[in-house]
Amino acid sequence: MAKHSTKATKKFEKNHLKDTIERRKEFAKIKQRQQIKAKKQARHASDYAKVLDEDEEDQVAKDNGRKAKDADKLKDMTVDEFFQGGFEIPEPTKKASKLAKIKEVMADSGKRKRDASRDDDDSEQGGRESDLSFEDQALSIDPPSDEEAEERPGAHREDLDALQEKDPDFYKYLKENDAELLDFAEDGDLAEVDDLSEDEPPKKKKKKGNAVEPLEEENNDDDTEVTMSMVSKWQKAMTEQHSLRAMRQVVLAFRAAAYVNEEDGKEYKYTISGPEVYHQLLVISLQHVPEVLGYHLPIKESASGKVRFSTDTKKFRTLTPLLKSHASSVHHLLENLSDAPTIKLTLASILPLLPYLLSFKKILKNLIKAVISIWSDPSSTEATRINAFLLIRRLAIISDPSLREAVLKSTYQGLIKGSRSTTIHTLPGINLMKNSAAELWGLDPAIGYTTGFTYIRQLAIHLRTSITHPTKDSYKAIYNWQYTHSLDFWSRVLSTHCSPATNPHLKSAAASPLHPLIYPLVQITLGALRLIPTPVYFPLRFHLTRALLRLSRSTTTYIPLAPSLLEVLQSPELKKPPKPSTLRPLDFATTLRAPASYLHTRVYQTGLGEQVAELLAEFFAVWAKSIAFPELVIPPSVLLKRWLKEVSSSPTPSAKHHGNHAHAKGRGNKNSKLTAAIALLLQKLDANARSVEERRRKVDFAPGNREGVEGFLAEVAWEDMPLGAFVVGMRKRNEERERVLEEGRRREEEERRRRGGKGENDAKADEDEDEDVDVDMEDGEGAEGEDDD
């Protein structure tokens, strides 16, 4: 009979068996992890066992020879003779015991109790991801593996410091025989670089009578205070001899110069005596250090832009601490500079250093973040931003896919931060950022598609959250400058890299790897465009419409934009008579939300009408050569004619007889300028439709012939069509008006500077505008987590 389980066994199976099995599995994982770690430690110990120099190898060879002789003696000895001789236990050699200590230290240094902390971090990771904001979720660029790799030297340093206290003699031995193990920090004196300067001409010996002079010359470089004579001497050695010894001194002095205003408690080998010395040292460091490195570590560049140079040489390994130290100093200097010429010089010096820094990803990422911060800073000049972008682009070309993805993410993050506030002063810089950054997404289409999909999905999540969970301020996550510039930026990216006109290798827009992103971007933009259909946010609607127009024009993708523009015409803001106002015209280029003082005024109504007429003309001009243009414009033409009839209607006799003052005055908007612009547009649409109909009668193919349909009027430029000529003239008038406004703005700026600041009214207007539209995209916090539900 089968044995029945006891009550205690059943209770254990019910309450504790599952936990016990899981706990045993965890123990097995930990044991496996410890075994892997032990194998790594053994491998590291075997690597460090190679620290013996040639003399030690000779000593080992002699010991082996002596052992061979002893073995020969043992062969000739009888058993009685062997036991009569006694037992002679050989003592271990001093260097062999020290080698064993090296292995022991390296094994101990690897025993860092990280497993428990890693498990805790993993368990908390899921909770943290749902709490990340938009920028933290989508724009994080530092993978955990790199951070752990950077932590190891710090832990290693702690072990070696403890070793120095416990066993000073052994630490001294390590310093003499394995300096690389100890001097890996960027704050070292880089003395090992001097060993590579053996090919430099030695110093001339003086006569015995002048014995004091060579002593002074040798100690000249050991002075703690940098003088002009020392800087000149280093500069001469670096330019004429490409001296590594002089470069080492310059790097050490440059480190002190970069941290000259820091009170971090660190001690540096050199001190800076004055501003002239500081300036000269800065110049030779930024100009000549890359030249000397290029001379000793030449770089080969392929036709595709990839760089190659050997990283396994002794020279590169020796120069690694110098490279890290110099890169850290440049990074710190770059974060504290404000002078445009100095920033430009510093950025130019980083460009030739990028190939050498590809092996140090953590340093390179920190450096590129500082460069992107300068590129996205509104206070940076246009020349400075261009130099910063050239550096970013160079790194994206020569880097591997993982680093290239980090560069793209960091660039997008800088663009988002730099476009938080948009004014007439910052708008040119933001457009420069969007146009330059869009170029990077075409360097690697695969990575460009991945990052583009991620960020466009983030925009969709924010829009969906605002629609499905409406609150009093939920719309602010969408209706702000950052979200608007993001949609405009992605339209520029897709317009640039999905257009056969700008990419001759593309047979059609659908051949681009980024083409699948067009549909979701259009849907998100149309959804954001109609989120709040009130006259207050008509300026934002025009911004998004222009982004979609650019995309439609470049990729020949039909996007139905006419309905959203006709909705503006049908709004009461353009149908009712406006109030008189003395306000100046609203600048739609730098406005997302119309101020309350502009609503129902003639100046705002006229501005809206001009924008609608211009955008409708631009939209239909994209399809001016289409064989279906006459049918395309029928519904909009009917609506425009109906609108003109409504706004220009005369008072009815019944209204006059019954004393209805509203109808007696008529239902029109009394804005002749607006109605004239719409009537002119309607005429151009009819003229273009008649032109297409006339040419369409002469074709000899059926509507089903797709090749014939697509080739219709292919030999005619769109500017030669009636609507195209109208749009060209309208663009010239707008450019002339913008030029006049820009000149007036500059004169006003100069006058304001002479007065000593901004006027109170202008300052207040800017402050009110910032309060209305400057909302951070982090308001959409938690959107990623909601998408998983």
Side-chain angles (χ1 to χ4, degrees):
M1 294 179 63
K3 185 177 181 181
H4 294 286
S5 301
T6 62
K7 186 176 182 181
T9 302
K10 293 180 179 179
K11 187 175 181 181
F12 175 79
E13 291 177 352
K14 180 180 180 181
N15 299 330
H16 304 290
L17 179 60
K18 185 177 180 180
D19 295 339
T20 303
I21 294 175
E22 291 180 355
R23 190 161 54 250
R24 288 180 180 177
K25 290 181 179 179
E26 290 294 330
F27 289 157
K29 291 181 181 178
I30 294 174
K31 184 177 180 181
Q32 184 181 9
R33 196 181 298 128
Q34 293 292 340
Q35 291 175 352
I36 295 174
K37 188 187 295 184
K39 292 180 180 179
K40 290 183 179 179
Q41 292 172 359
R43 188 164 59 251
H44 289 319
S46 63
D47 293 339
Y48 275 92
K50 299 177 181 179
V51 299
L52 294 175
D53 53 9
E54 295 180 358
D55 296 337
E56 292 173 341
E57 292 177 357
D58 295 340
Q59 182 65 32
V60 171
K62 293 180 181 178
D63 294 341
N64 291 337
R66 191 183 66 241
K67 290 179 180 178
K69 293 180 179 179
D70 294 341
D72 293 339
K73 289 182 180 180
L74 290 175
K75 290 180 181 179
D76 299 335
M77 292 176 63
T78 61
V79 177
D80 296 335
E81 291 175 348
F82 174 77
F83 281 103
Q84 288 178 0
F87 297 96
E88 296 181 357
I89 301 176
E91 296 182 359
T93 61
K94 186 177 182 180
K95 291 187 177 181
S97 62
K98 289 184 178 180
L99 179 60
K101 279 192 175 184
I102 293 177
K103 295 181 179 181
E104 182 180 354
V105 169
M106 293 310 302
D108 292 339
S109 65
K111 294 180 180 180
R112 306 293 299 172
K113 296 183 178 180
R114 298 172 182 259
D115 298 331
S117 61
R118 282 179 183 171
D119 295 339
D120 295 340
D121 293 342
D122 295 339
S123 63
E124 296 175 1
Q125 185 68 21
R128 286 199 301 266
E129 285 182 354
S130 61
D131 298 333
L132 293 177
S133 63
F134 172 79
E135 294 182 2
D136 293 334
Q137 287 176 2
L139 307 175
S140 176
I141 67 169
D142 294 330
S145 59
D146 291 340
E147 294 177 358
E148 292 179 2
E150 292 293 330
E151 289 176 359
R152 292 179 192 130
H156 198 175
R157 168 60 68 187
E158 294 177 1
D159 293 330
L160 292 174
D161 290 342
L163 176 65
Q164 184 179 10
E165 296 178 359
K166 294 181 181 179
D167 196 345
D169 296 335
F170 178 57
Y171 185 85
K172 183 179 180 181
Y173 170 80
L174 286 178
K175 193 170 184 180
E176 294 175 355
N177 294 273
D178 196 357
E180 185 179 357
L181 176 64
L182 304 178
D183 297 333
F184 56 86
E186 63 181 24
D187 293 331
D189 60 357
L190 311 178
E192 62 274 10
V193 177
D194 289 347
D195 297 337
L196 301 178
S197 304
E198 296 177 355
D199 55 343
E200 298 176 12
K203 297 178 181 179
K204 296 181 179 179
K205 295 183 179 180
K206 301 291 183 179
K207 296 181 180 180
K208 292 183 178 180
N210 299 330
V212 180
E213 294 183 2
L215 181 61
E216 292 178 356
E217 185 177 354
E218 290 176 1
N219 294 335
N220 191 21
D221 288 346
D222 295 333
D223 295 339
T224 58
E225 184 176 351
V226 180
T227 60
M228 288 297 295
S229 60
M230 295 170 61
V231 175
S232 301
K233 176 185 173 183
W234 294 337
Q235 182 178 5
K236 183 179 179 181
M238 293 173 67
T239 54
E240 296 180 359
Q241 305 171 10
H242 300 96
S243 172
L244 289 174
R245 185 183 294 112
M247 185 179 69
R248 166 181 169 262
Q249 303 298 334
V250 169
V251 169
L252 292 174
F254 178 66
R255 181 198 300 169
Y259 292 86
V260 68
N261 294 324
E262 299 293 329
E263 297 180 358
D264 51 2
K266 292 183 179 180
E267 296 182 0
Y268 302 100
K269 181 176 180 179
Y270 293 107
T271 57
I272 310 302
S273 58
E276 295 181 357
V277 175
Y278 176 86
H279 174 74
Q280 190 65 18
L281 178 62
L282 212 65
V283 171
I284 68 167
S285 300
L286 298 176
Q287 288 183 349
H288 298 305
V289 168
E291 294 177 0
V292 176
L293 286 173
Y295 177 81
H296 290 279
L297 297 173
I299 296 176
K300 298 179 181 179
E301 185 172 357
S302 62
S304 60
K306 297 298 181 182
V307 294
R308 299 175 183 173
F309 74 99
S310 179
T311 58
D312 298 331
T313 61
K314 179 182 178 182
K315 183 174 287 188
F316 178 78
R317 289 195 300 269
T318 307
L319 291 176
T320 293
L322 185 143
L323 276 169
K324 289 184 177 181
S325 176
H326 185 67
S328 299
S329 302
V330 171
H331 172 238
H332 184 79
L333 180 68
L334 205 58
E335 289 182 332
N336 295 277
L337 286 177
S338 59
D339 182 50
T342 310
I343 294 176
K344 185 177 178 181
L345 177 63
T346 308
L347 293 174
S349 71
I350 298 175
L351 197 61
L353 294 178
L354 290 179
Y356 305 111
L357 299 177
L358 291 177
S359 302
F360 319 118
K361 289 190 176 181
K362 191 68 176 180
I363 295 177
L364 193 57
K365 286 181 179 180
N366 293 332
L367 189 61
I368 207 64
K369 282 182 181 179
V371 175
I372 291 176
S373 177
I374 294 174
W375 171 74
S376 61
D377 189 0
S379 62
S380 299
T381 63
E382 183 177 351
T384 302
R385 287 187 167 188
I386 292 175
N387 279 272
F389 172 72
L390 291 177
L391 198 151
I392 298 170
R393 184 180 182 277
R394 173 66 174 170
L395 178 60
I397 291 175
I398 67 175
S399 59
D400 57 359
S402 62
L403 191 57
R404 189 177 298 118
E405 183 179 2
V407 171
L408 293 181
K409 290 182 178 180
S410 187
T411 303
Y412 185 71
Q413 183 179 19
L415 175 64
I416 293 297
K417 292 181 179 179
S419 61
R420 179 169 297 179
S421 177
T422 303
T423 64
I424 194 172
H425 308 286
T426 61
L427 184 59
I430 294 174
N431 289 332
L432 175 64
M433 283 196 297
K434 289 190 288 189
N435 290 329
S436 57
E439 182 184 349
L440 300 179
W441 263 259
L443 298 177
D444 191 333
I447 296 178
Y449 174 81
T450 304
T451 54
F453 177 83
T454 302
Y455 297 138
I456 292 175
R457 179 174 177 269
Q458 280 290 333
L459 297 174
I461 291 173
H462 280 268
L463 179 62
R464 188 197 65 179
T465 303
S466 179
I467 295 174
T468 57
H469 300 86
T471 60
K472 182 179 179 181
D473 297 331
S474 61
Y475 72 95
K476 292 183 178 180
I478 308 301
Y479 279 17
N480 60 75
W481 275 117
Q482 287 180 304
Y483 197 92
T484 304
H485 283 306
S486 296
L487 291 174
D488 184 67
F489 168 72
W490 290 115
S491 76
R492 292 173 190 255
V493 171
L494 300 181
S495 300
T496 303
H497 303 294
C498 297
S499 173
T502 57
N503 299 276
H505 63 280
L506 293 178
K507 296 182 180 180
S508 63
S512 173
L514 300 179
H515 186 267
L517 298 176
I518 293 179
Y519 178 76
L521 179 65
V522 170
Q523 294 298 318
I524 296 168
T525 308
L526 290 176
L529 184 140
R530 289 192 169 120
L531 183 62
I532 302 180
T534 58
V536 177
Y537 288 104
F538 281 164
L540 183 141
R541 177 176 294 210
F542 297 149
H543 280 285
L544 299 182
T545 302
R546 292 183 187 278
L548 292 178
L549 264 176
R550 182 192 305 109
L551 185 60
S552 178
R553 187 185 304 115
S554 301
T555 62
T556 62
T557 302
Y558 178 77
I559 303 173
L561 296 177
S564 63
L565 295 174
L566 294 173
E567 287 177 5
V568 178
L569 280 180
Q570 298 297 330
S571 66
E573 190 72 25
L574 292 178
K575 282 188 174 183
K576 294 181 179 181
K579 298 183 298 184
S581 174
T582 58
L583 296 172
R584 59 183 179 182
L586 184 65
D587 186 7
F588 286 90
T590 57
T591 304
L592 285 185
R593 181 174 183 262
S597 58
Y598 277 84
L599 298 179
H600 311 300
T601 62
R602 178 173 293 274
V603 64
Y604 186 53
Q605 187 183 77
T606 304
L608 290 178
E610 291 176 352
Q611 292 289 318
V612 171
E614 177 187 348
L615 292 174
L616 280 175
E618 291 279 358
F619 168 69
F620 287 114
V622 177
W623 310 104
K625 299 194 303 178
S626 173
I627 199 170
F629 184 84
E631 290 74 23
L632 179 65
V633 297
I634 288 177
S637 298
V638 172
L639 290 175
L640 290 176
K641 291 177 182 179
R642 186 181 302 168
W643 181 84
L644 285 173
K645 184 177 180 181
E646 290 177 359
V647 299
S648 59
S649 61
S650 58
T652 59
S654 60
K656 291 181 179 180
H657 178 72
H658 294 289
N660 191 333
H661 297 288
H663 290 278
K665 294 181 179 179
R667 294 174 295 173
N669 56 15
K670 306 295 183 180
N671 194 332
S672 59
K673 186 177 180 180
L674 173 59
T675 55
I678 299 299
L680 180 60
L681 172 64
L682 191 58
Q683 293 177 7
K684 298 301 178 182
L685 292 178
D686 293 340
N688 200 89
R690 288 194 301 269
S691 176
V692 173
E693 285 179 348
E694 291 177 1
R695 304 188 186 194
R696 192 169 61 178
R697 293 191 188 101
K698 301 176 183 178
V699 301
D700 54 356
F701 53 84
N705 188 347
R706 189 172 185 83
E707 184 177 354
V709 170
E710 292 178 354
F712 179 72
L713 296 181
E715 71 283 356
V716 179
W718 71 273
E719 295 91 344
D720 297 334
M721 301 297 292
L723 184 59
F726 172 70
V727 170
V728 170
M730 183 177 59
R731 289 179 181 177
K732 290 181 179 179
R733 291 193 299 271
N734 292 337
E735 291 175 0
E736 181 64 20
R737 182 175 58 184
E738 290 178 0
R739 186 184 63 81
V740 173
L741 291 175
E742 181 67 17
E743 291 179 356
R745 183 186 64 81
R746 290 179 180 175
R747 287 196 299 268
E748 184 181 354
E749 241 180 60
E750 294 175 359
E751 185 179 352
R752 187 179 300 162
R753 288 197 192 99
R754 286 196 299 268
R755 291 200 309 261
K758 184 186 290 187
E760 294 181 1
N761 295 334
D762 295 336
K764 188 176 185 303
D766 291 346
E767 184 178 353
D768 294 341
E769 183 180 354
D770 290 342
E771 289 179 359
D772 290 337
V773 301
D774 183 16
V775 181
D776 193 353
M777 296 186 76
E778 293 178 358
D779 291 341
E781 185 175 350
E784 184 73 69
E786 294 174 4
D787 186 71
D788 298 332
D789 295 340

